[in-house]
Amino acid sequence: MRTTYISFLFLAFIQISYGQSDNLKQARRAFASQDYTQAITSYELEEEKSLVSLKNLADSYYYLGESDKAVAAYRQVFDQYQSIADEYLIRYIDAAKQSKDYALANDLATNYLGYATNIPHDLVDGRKLENFELAMVKGAPGKSAFGPISHQNKLIFASDNNAARPIFDRTKEPYLDLYIADISNDILSNAELFAEDIDTDLHESNMSFTPDGKHVYFTRNNSKYRRIGNKRIGVLQIFKADLVGDKWSNVTPVPFNTNRYSVMHPSVSKDGLRLYFSSDKPGGFGSYDIYVTNILADGTYSKPVNLGPSINTEAGEYFPYVADNNDLYFTSKRITGLGGLDLYKSVNNSGSFSQAENLVSLNSNKDDFSMIIDTEGESGYISSNRDGNDKIYHFIEIED
């Protein structure tokens, strides 16, 4: 009996050891696939976490927007280990801001930047600010809806509503489709899929029309994944479709797409001569930058040009939108921002963009992104997850 009991304990130990090993493999596979929910479940089962496990656990919390838990996990990383890459510190700072722990964020940012940082005071000190009032748009289908664009008195946006689509590991919701809906008094109605040839089993989002309404550009992910570091990435690409009769067809990728990096978030200038987009192509300022290409008379494109340091930083810039007056609105996750993604504006001075400024009254400590604004610059729409999920908000400028 004693021998059997000892043998059983030994067998149990072997099973637990193998279980931990299998669990760690599962955790790392889930993290590489951006299935952060499963990664968290698996990493939390580890009693003794390595540096890699702690960093991946912190990142998983961060990418799922669980900022309080991300702060605690990043704190463990930096308390227990030395020589941690700056990218983790930057996410630590952002997680602190998203948790509204600006004291911690300012302390970390001051040490990183080398000068005194006081967020949010620095963003409003001495500035004359545009003052906007926001209201959530109701009636959008799905758990998340974002990337609004106005077209023929309707609103087009991306949503995870379509249950016929595959499930995306990262969100556990269906892949994104583009929807079109009536909009009245900040309420959406009669929402339906935008176009059969455009909406597929892949992600589609962020659309922009040419001025004549006969062509449209949009973002779609590549079905082929590539490995970057320890993650499997499906790069994003820009596609163009033509209006033939009353149907959108001739869906084709733009020629500057590639499988090596993402090209996404198209925005056509109001004269139809330029196409702005975001890309992490090599040679930029870091992460994603905003580029512009000329749309030539024969339908081809000039070589994309980086918009330079007045717009782009090492933090990453996304979701460009060119207003009717050619001012540029975009999104960035800068250390000196309020937290998460923030909205920025750059004034176009005869083709040269001014140093971008944070649109403080539109931003929160969470992700605020993908903005459009009307001709007068007095109202428009943004996307934000300030209430937990990506939603569309209507804003109106109000008098001081």
Side-chain angles (χ1 to χ4, degrees):
M1 184 69 178
R2 174 72 175 173
T3 304
T4 304
Y5 179 65
I6 292 174
S7 298
F8 177 76
L9 285 180
F10 180 72
L11 178 61
F13 174 76
I14 296 296
Q15 289 173 331
I16 291 170
S17 298
Y18 275 107
Q20 288 177 333
S21 176
D22 289 343
N23 179 72
L24 183 56
K25 290 178 182 177
Q26 183 180 34
R28 292 182 177 176
R29 280 196 300 267
F31 185 81
S33 299
Q34 301 182 57
D35 185 354
Y36 297 122
T37 301
Q38 180 58 55
I40 289 170
T41 300
S42 298
Y43 279 126
E44 285 181 338
L45 293 175
E46 288 188 80
E47 293 184 9
E48 298 293 332
K49 296 179 179 62
S50 67
L51 174 58
V52 171
S53 294
L54 272 177
K55 290 193 298 186
N56 288 355
L57 178 60
D59 280 352
S60 295
Y61 285 131
Y62 176 77
Y63 290 130
L64 287 181
E66 298 185 35
S67 52
D68 291 345
K69 292 180 179 179
V71 166
Y74 284 127
R75 182 179 287 118
Q76 270 191 284
V77 171
F78 284 89
D79 285 350
Q80 295 182 25
Y81 297 94
Q82 303 296 319
S83 302
I84 307 301
D86 285 347
E87 63 180 288
Y88 295 96
L89 178 57
I90 291 170
R91 288 194 284 272
Y92 186 11
I93 295 169
D94 190 51
K97 289 187 292 185
Q98 292 193 49
S99 295
K100 294 189 176 180
D101 190 345
Y102 287 108
L104 172 61
N106 288 332
D107 184 52
L108 295 171
T110 295
N111 290 332
Y112 174 73
L113 295 171
Y115 58 83
T117 304
N118 185 6
I119 306 164
H121 178 271
D122 292 344
L123 293 176
V124 298
D125 187 29
R127 284 180 55 191
K128 183 177 181 354
L129 301 176
E130 295 164 305
N131 194 15
F132 296 106
E133 185 177 75
L134 284 89
M136 183 189 291
V137 172
K138 307 292 186 181
K143 185 175 180 180
S144 294
F146 68 92
I149 190 78
S150 296
H151 183 63
Q152 297 179 345
N153 298 317
K154 294 177 180 286
L155 206 65
I156 299 169
F157 53 92
S159 171
D160 57 5
N161 181 64
N162 193 348
R165 301 298 185 219
I167 299 299
F168 184 40
D169 282 343
R170 182 166 177 173
T171 63
K172 306 303 181 187
E173 300 294 334
Y175 272 54
L176 297 167
D177 280 318
L178 285 159
Y179 282 77
I180 185 168
D182 297 321
I183 177 76
S184 177
N185 298 320
D186 296 339
I187 299 174
L188 293 169
S189 60
N190 304 317
E192 59 183 6
L193 292 174
F194 177 74
E196 181 179 352
D197 283 1
I198 289 177
D199 288 310
T200 71
D201 279 349
L202 300 172
H203 287 300
E204 285 89 22
S205 70
N206 296 95
M207 178 172 279
S208 182
F209 290 85
T210 56
D212 60 10
K214 294 180 179 179
H215 311 281
V216 69
Y217 294 88
F218 64 96
T219 304
R220 176 185 286 169
N221 74 293
N222 192 331
S223 60
K224 296 180 180 179
Y225 284 78
R226 68 184 181 98
R227 185 169 292 278
I228 303 176
N230 62 348
K231 293 184 179 180
R232 290 175 63 248
I233 303 294
V235 299
L236 298 175
Q237 299 180 328
I238 293 174
F239 287 76
K240 178 186 177 185
D242 304 321
L243 185 62
V244 180
D246 61 353
K247 183 178 180 181
W248 290 99
S249 58
N250 302 332
V251 177
T252 55
V254 296
F256 45 90
N257 282 338
T258 173
N259 292 328
R260 293 180 287 112
Y261 51 80
S262 287
V263 176
M264 61 189 191
H265 304 162
S267 180
V268 183
S269 62
K270 300 312 170 186
D271 59 9
L273 299 180
R274 288 169 297 280
L275 176 65
Y276 295 81
F277 62 93
S278 177
S279 175
D280 60 342
K281 64 183 298 184
F285 289 82
S287 185
Y288 286 81
D289 284 357
I290 295 175
Y291 292 79
V292 63
T293 177
N294 294 323
I295 304 173
L296 304 179
D298 61 359
T300 60
Y301 306 86
S302 66
K303 182 179 179 180
V305 175
N306 190 296
L307 288 190
S310 64
I311 302 296
N312 294 312
T313 68
E314 74 282 354
E317 281 70 41
Y318 317 86
F319 302 103
Y321 175 75
V322 186
D324 287 354
N325 63 358
N326 289 316
D327 288 348
L328 180 68
Y329 295 84
F330 64 94
T331 303
S332 183
K333 188 177 283 190
R334 303 182 183 187
I335 290 177
T336 53
L338 284 174
L341 296 168
D342 276 6
L343 293 158
Y344 288 79
K345 175 184 178 180
S346 176
V347 175
N348 189 323
N349 296 310
S350 301
S352 178
F353 288 104
S354 68
Q355 194 67 39
E357 288 196 338
N358 189 296
L359 294 173
V360 181
S361 65
L362 284 178
N363 290 316
S364 68
N365 63 311
K366 298 294 185 179
D367 288 335
D368 306 287
F369 59 101
S370 196
M371 173 179 175
I372 61 172
I373 194 164
D374 67 8
T375 303
E376 291 75 25
E378 297 176 350
S379 67
Y381 297 92
I382 68 168
S383 307
S384 178
N385 69 355
R386 64 187 63 192
D387 288 324
N389 294 307
D390 293 337
K391 297 295 181 184
I392 299 168
Y393 291 77
H394 181 215
F395 66 86
I396 300 174
E397 187 172 10
I398 57 177
E399 298 296 331
D400 294 335

